[in-house]
């Protein structure tokens, strides 16, 4: 695997690969890789001739300076993991390489960014859209791989691809979890042992809410879920929403949806975690 730090070097490689008719799969990440990332990389190596992974902790998508500073950075370990899954190129640029000038570009995603992560992390999706656009332009993938763990991000990137006519296919894979249900996340590394014991409560709350969805009003489920989580003083719920699985708009009651998503964001200690679960109402 070759490690590339410069945009110009990657452009030259991608140009030659595309001229040679190679199909390129791309997995954008912020590093501190885990099994959630690795399933995307394995899918990419299966489905494409060449796989490019990026590891870039993108400053413009952090609305909290300490979250950016404390975000785990484990590049040497990432490189060894990437070698085990057959990744061909790792793009690991500096912030200056991606942002030679400060970006003032503004994206707007309408209703999609007015809720949940968009509402609670001002500027977050603008930073995501900026960096994903830049990376798509440089990497020029045929397929790009994302995780359902960041459900709203997938919807934003889908809208971005359509709006800007990126010539690529988006592929989304389910959330990979630890044995106790906690969604794998680079931020889990920041949890203390005691907080790590508490963190699966988020997934347990989603499971309970899913089981009660057809029996109780959404408002009641929300209140019960908040009460249950706040039994621990280390957990601070930021939001829990039942949303339409296609539009991601919050619902006050279920009315004819085939599928909904249950989405949660909560602080466990100082660490902000998100999770979600899709619920197919036709089957239940
Ligand atoms: P990140 O490095 O957290 O920005 O994530 C990079 C990509 O991996 C994104 O598309 C995420 O949605 C995806 N991802 C992160 N964690 C998981 C997980 N537990 N399961 C599936 N995909 C994930």
């Amino acid at each position: 695997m070759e490690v590339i730090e410069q945009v110009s070097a990657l452009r030259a490689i991608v140009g030659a690969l595309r001229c040679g008719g190679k199909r390129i799969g791309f997995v954008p990440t912020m590093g501190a890789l885990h099994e959630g990332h690795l399933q995307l990389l394995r899918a990419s190596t299966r489905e494409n001739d060449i796989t490019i992974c990026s590891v870039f902790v993108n400053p413009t998508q952090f609305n909290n300076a300490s979250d950016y500073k404390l975000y785990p950075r484990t590049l040497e370990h990432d490189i060894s993991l990437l070698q085990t899954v057959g990744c061909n190129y790792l793009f690991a640029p500096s912030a200056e390489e991606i942002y030679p000038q400060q970006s003032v570009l503004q994206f707007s995603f309408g209703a999609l960014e007015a809720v949940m992560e968009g509402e609670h992390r001002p500027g977050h999706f603008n930073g995501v859209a900026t960096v994903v656009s830049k990376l798509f332009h440089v990497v020029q993938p045929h397929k790009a791989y994302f995780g359902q763990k960041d459900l709203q991000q997938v919807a934003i990137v889908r809208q971005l691809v359509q709006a800007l006519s990126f010539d690529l296919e988006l592929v989304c894979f389910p959330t990979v979890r630890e044995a106790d249900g906690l969604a794998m996340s680079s931020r889990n590394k920041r949890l203390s042992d005691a907080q790590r014991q508490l963190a699966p409560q988020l997934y347990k709350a989603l499971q309970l809410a899913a089981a009660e969805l057809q029996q109780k009003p959404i408002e009641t489920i929300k209140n019960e879920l908040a009460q249950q989580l706040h039994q621990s003083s280390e957990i601070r719920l930021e939001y829990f929403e039942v949303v339409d699985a296609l539009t991601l708009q919050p619902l006050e009651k279920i009315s004819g949806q085939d599928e909904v998503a249950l989405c949660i964001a909560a602080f466990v200690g100082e660490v902000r975690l998100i999770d979600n679960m899709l619920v197919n109402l036709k089957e239940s």
Side-chain angles (χ1 to χ4, degrees):
M1 185 180 71
E2 199 174 325
V3 182
I4 297 153
E5 293 177 1
Q6 311 295 325
V7 168
S8 56
L10 186 57
R11 273 193 208 285
I13 289 167
V14 165
L17 288 170
R18 287 190 72 109
C19 272
K22 298 291 187 208
R23 292 193 61 82
I24 300 173
F26 177 43
V27 183
T29 82
M30 297 206 296
L33 300 181
H34 50 67
E35 191 52 38
H37 300 113
L38 297 184
Q39 71 157 347
L40 303 180
L41 285 150
R42 287 194 200 96
S44 175
T45 56
R46 242 185 353 257
E47 297 172 5
N48 303 277
D49 301 312
I50 295 291
T51 289
I52 302 177
C53 176
S54 62
V55 169
F56 179 59
V57 185
N58 174 35
T60 64
Q61 73 187 70
F62 285 80
N63 58 321
N64 176 320
S66 108
D67 189 26
Y68 175 64
K69 195 165 154 247
L70 297 174
Y71 197 87
R73 290 160 170 88
T74 59
L75 193 62
E76 287 310 310
H77 188 240
D78 292 346
I79 290 173
S80 57
L81 285 177
L82 287 167
Q83 280 162 342
T84 67
V85 292
C87 180
N88 303 96
Y89 296 95
L90 166 61
F91 182 46
S94 65
E96 295 71 34
E97 182 68 14
I98 295 295
Y99 297 107
Q101 296 99 29
Q102 197 189 341
S103 175
V104 290
L105 200 57
Q106 289 294 324
F107 290 84
S108 174
F109 294 94
L112 187 54
E113 69 172 340
V115 298
M116 301 195 289
E117 293 302 282
E119 182 185 357
H120 288 89
R121 300 183 70 188
H124 170 63
F125 285 127
N126 199 64
V128 168
T130 303
V131 80
V132 168
S133 302
K134 280 173 173 275
L135 291 170
F136 281 174
H137 279 302
V138 177
V139 177
Q140 295 181 56
H142 296 87
K143 284 187 169 191
Y145 295 80
F146 290 83
Q148 186 203 310
K149 160 83 175 20
D150 300 278
L151 186 68
Q152 198 174 2
Q153 173 172 278
V154 177
I156 291 277
V157 174
R158 184 162 289 127
Q159 198 170 315
L160 179 77
V161 165
Q162 277 165 4
L164 294 182
S165 308
F166 280 107
D167 186 15
L168 57 86
E169 183 188 340
L170 277 192
V171 189
C172 180
F173 272 80
T175 302
V176 179
R177 300 182 179 282
E178 303 287 356
D180 58 11
L182 175 64
M184 288 192 184
S185 164
S186 306
R187 286 187 177 88
N188 294 349
K189 292 191 167 67
R190 292 184 48 209
L191 298 169
S192 70
D193 288 349
Q195 291 164 350
R196 173 64 188 80
Q197 298 296 315
L198 286 173
Q201 295 285 338
L202 270 61
Y203 181 57
K204 294 208 173 77
L206 291 181
Q207 284 179 308
L208 198 64
E212 294 188 330
L213 206 53
Q214 311 262 44
Q215 277 97 50
K216 294 183 182 172
I218 289 177
E219 194 59 33
T220 310
I221 295 176
K222 280 186 169 182
N223 290 337
E224 285 179 2
L225 183 139
Q227 266 181 16
Q228 184 196 331
L229 289 176
H230 286 154
Q231 281 174 10
S232 163
S233 60
E234 282 265 58
I235 299 181
R236 184 161 58 81
L237 180 64
E238 194 167 72
Y239 66 77
F240 165 72
E241 297 289 357
V242 179
V243 302
D244 181 286
L246 292 177
T247 64
L248 300 194
Q249 294 308 297
L251 301 168
E252 284 173 9
K253 63 178 171 46
I254 310 286
S255 54
Q257 285 78 18
D258 289 344
E259 194 171 35
V260 296
L262 312 184
C263 301
I264 193 167
F267 284 87
V268 179
E270 296 294 306
V271 185
R272 186 177 183 279
L273 300 178
I274 60 170
D275 199 352
N276 68 80
M277 185 187 283
L278 290 170
V279 182
N280 187 331
L281 296 173
K282 275 165 115 185
E283 281 173 359
S284 54

